[in-house]
Amino acid sequence: MEGYLQLFIASAITNNFVLTQFLGLCIFFGVSKNLNASIGMGMAVTSVMTLSSLLAWAVYTYILHPLGLQTLMLVVFVLLIASFVQLLEMIIKKHAPALYNMWGIYLVLIATNCIVLAVPVTNAELQSDFITSLVRSIGSGAGFALAIILMASLREKLQYADVPKSLEGLGISFILAGMLALSFFGFSGMITL
Amino acid sequence: MSTSILILLVLTSLGLFFGFILAYSNKKFAIEVNPLIHIVEDVLPKGQCGACGYAGCMAYAEAVVLNADVPPNLCTPGKDAVAKLVAELTGKAAAPMEPQIAQVKCAGTHSKAINAYDYDGIEDCIAANLLFGGAKACKYGCLGLGTCVQSCPFDAMVMSAEGLPIIDPDKCTACGKCVSACPKMIISLIPIGAKVRVNCSSKDKGPVAKKACNIACIGCSLCMRQCPYGAIKMENNLAIVDAKICEEQCSEALCLGKCPTKAIRPFVLGIVPGTEKEESVAATCPSCAN
């Protein structure tokens, strides 16, 4: 049990995908302009990441690994996540329109995002079992949500700050992201798995 | 050789498998979208201003088509023409819409309103308002930093050199964006046919208001006593004109004559309060004549 808690914290904070491994930066910058949108995006990424990495885990463990086709991992995962997100979008649109209105638009954005792909690949490379994969994907999702919510809160404050003309917009956001990453660097080494 | 066949086999079957699932669920989870929604959306001006109370033009189109209780005349920027079209398309009765325009209830230009301190911060009324309610001595007046101008989706507002926003009556669609953007809450929508307006929002008592700005409404209630139709009432040391009574019943504008600070003025489209041009029409009520 303790091991899983450690894994959760490790994947959410010390090995945060966005701020220490620099994955999923396009949505990180794209959707962090306001807090509400970033909360929606964080939720969408977490759920898609969890569900698709479990699916990927099943395909990897029961099809690719026994057949010795680990080299096909990336191709198969991309195919799998893309179709899964499409499917999820359809289901949500039909059965939960309220939810669809809230974060339906983000679903398509993350269809083949690198951060969603990174988690199943990590799981497969480390040959994790089912529960470990589950905990890792939820942890990574929470880490992404944390990062994007922090960033959005900062950028909302930034609107009232006196930013030099040449740095306005994305420029200052990159600097901010760098500082955030630097502060997350402080967590490194706290948990070693 | 056998590996490549295996790869071919696995990938093809996985691809087919997901393809079939998607094709099947596409049928199973298909949603019928009413084509009328798109037609109605095309009619709307697509400023995405949200004046109708919905998230955007698409959301309003959806609501007005699907929900019988949503009236077809909520789109203020579209004015009567759009309301009529939407009503026709959805088969609802169109209530006539009175055209409105935004007005700033302050005439405290740089020369008339006194500053309590010099503000040299961010050019934004919300930011300035955080510092003791802004630079003006009058805590109710326009700060003149143009937050409303920036919020206008139709480019209908510009900031004058005298520090008050000018509203272009041809471009203003009465969407109400500026009304909610103003931290002082001194912008309101009034009917285009209104005859008089009170160019002040000060709730201070007379001497205090007069000290901060020499054209403030001092709450003397002379105008209220002049009006034979009861269109003016006093609230918190400020005269409030009921535009409806004023527009429909009055034709002589007795209220204008007695005002000691000239805070109550005739309302003429396109004339900015506090300017010289306005001074020239201040004596009589031009719209009362016809």
Side-chain angles (χ1 to χ4, degrees):
Chain A
M1 195 61 219
E2 202 177 306
Y4 292 130
L5 188 67
Q6 269 191 351
L7 178 63
F8 180 83
I9 293 176
S11 39
I13 296 173
T14 50
N15 292 336
N16 190 301
F17 267 112
V18 183
L19 294 172
T20 64
Q21 306 187 32
F22 307 110
L23 290 173
L25 287 184
C26 41
I27 34 178
F28 180 63
F29 285 110
V31 199
S32 60
K33 272 191 206 119
N34 87 44
L35 193 57
N36 281 338
S38 75
I39 292 173
M41 191 74 196
M43 268 162 45
V45 168
T46 312
S47 44
V48 167
M49 204 143 111
T50 312
L51 293 172
S52 63
S53 68
L54 293 185
L55 206 63
W57 178 85
V59 170
Y60 182 79
T61 324
Y62 295 115
I63 300 175
L64 297 184
H65 194 60
L67 292 176
L69 293 179
Q70 284 94 332
T71 37
L72 287 185
M73 190 170 71
L74 277 181
V75 185
V76 173
F77 283 179
V78 167
L79 172 78
L80 196 140
I81 294 170
S83 4
F84 172 70
V85 170
Q86 285 256 307
L87 185 67
L88 194 67
E89 196 201 348
M90 283 185 223
I91 296 174
I92 290 179
K93 206 172 181 178
K94 177 84 178 181
H95 291 295
L99 194 65
Y100 181 78
N101 282 338
M102 211 159 74
W103 45 266
I105 38 164
Y106 308 125
L107 276 181
V108 198
L109 275 177
I110 48 181
T112 46
N113 197 277
C114 51
I115 193 166
V116 181
L117 187 62
V119 180
V121 171
T122 317
N123 283 337
E125 272 174 355
L126 297 175
Q127 309 246 337
S128 310
D129 60 29
F130 182 78
I131 298 183
T132 313
S133 309
L134 179 69
V135 172
R136 181 176 289 121
S137 22
I138 297 178
S140 311
F144 177 82
L146 175 73
I148 198 168
I149 288 170
L150 278 180
M151 187 67 180
S153 321
L154 285 174
R155 280 179 81 173
E156 279 199 346
K157 291 246 167 188
L158 211 59
Q159 291 193 337
Y160 296 110
D162 212 358
V163 179
K165 196 102 195 147
S166 51
L167 285 179
E168 262 173 21
L170 266 185
I172 190 80
S173 308
F174 280 153
I175 295 177
L176 258 186
M179 288 195 218
L180 260 183
L182 209 61
S183 61
F184 266 68
F185 216 61
F187 292 118
S188 65
M190 268 169 74
I191 299 175
T192 41
L193 284 175
Chain B
M1 190 58 204
S2 68
T3 322
S4 51
I5 291 176
L6 196 61
I7 289 175
L8 208 64
L9 211 69
V10 169
L11 277 188
T12 321
S13 49
L14 272 177
L16 279 176
F17 177 68
F18 286 122
F20 276 121
I21 286 190
L22 282 185
Y24 172 73
S25 47
N26 199 15
K27 278 264 175 325
K28 182 151 197 305
F29 297 115
I31 301 171
E32 283 168 35
V33 178
N34 194 336
L36 197 56
I37 293 176
H38 291 294
I39 302 174
V40 171
E41 197 204 351
D42 280 343
V43 169
L44 298 174
K46 298 212 195 55
Q48 313 291 359
C49 64
C52 51
Y54 292 88
C57 295
M58 178 72 205
Y60 175 54
E62 213 175 286
V64 79
V65 170
L66 299 179
N67 190 342
D69 297 334
V70 178
N73 63 346
L74 290 185
C75 181
T76 22
K79 304 221 166 81
D80 242 359
V82 168
K84 264 196 200 117
L85 273 173
V86 174
E88 236 169 66
L89 286 168
T90 54
K92 290 175 181 173
M97 241 172 98
E98 184 163 29
Q100 290 185 314
I101 188 171
Q103 70 143 355
V104 182
K105 284 177 291 182
C106 177
T109 51
H110 288 320
S111 52
K112 293 195 173 106
I114 292 161
N115 274 0
Y117 65 90
D118 284 335
Y119 177 75
D120 190 20
I122 308 164
E123 285 280 303
D124 182 88
C125 303
I126 299 168
N129 192 30
L130 292 175
L131 270 181
F132 309 107
K136 278 197 176 143
C138 168
K139 289 304 156 215
Y140 303 92
C142 173
L143 298 176
L145 296 170
T147 298
C148 52
V149 175
Q150 279 168 22
S151 76
C152 182
F154 300 98
D155 291 332
M157 300 179 100
V158 280
M159 187 54 68
S160 73
E162 277 286 272
L164 284 179
I166 303 174
I167 296 158
D168 184 339
D170 296 330
K171 287 184 184 162
C172 178
T173 60
C175 72
K177 280 264 171 190
C178 52
V179 175
S180 49
C182 178
K184 293 287 186 192
M185 292 178 278
I186 55 171
I187 306 181
S188 63
L189 301 177
I190 58 166
I192 278 183
K195 285 171 181 152
V196 297
R197 62 175 167 192
V198 180
N199 282 332
C200 184
S201 304
S202 173
K203 297 190 179 82
D204 280 334
K205 288 213 168 74
V208 182
K210 176 88 180 165
K211 210 172 174 186
C213 174
N214 65 19
I215 48 167
C217 170
I218 53 172
C220 63
S221 72
L222 273 178
C223 53
M224 180 178 80
R225 272 177 262 153
Q226 292 295 318
C227 181
Y229 306 98
I232 304 177
K233 56 183 191 296
M234 303 303 297
E235 266 175 29
N236 300 320
N237 305 313
L238 186 62
I240 312 268
V241 181
D242 184 326
K244 203 163 175 231
I245 303 176
C246 179
E247 196 181 345
E248 283 168 7
Q249 301 180 11
C250 176
S251 62
E252 57 251 283
L254 294 168
C255 51
L256 298 174
K258 289 280 166 139
C259 183
T261 57
K262 299 275 177 284
I264 185 166
R265 298 291 178 104
F267 176 67
V268 187
L269 272 185
I271 285 191
V272 192
T275 56
E276 271 179 36
K277 200 173 163 199
E278 204 218 4
E279 304 288 336
S280 60
V281 292
T284 52
C285 171
S287 51
C288 294
N290 43 39

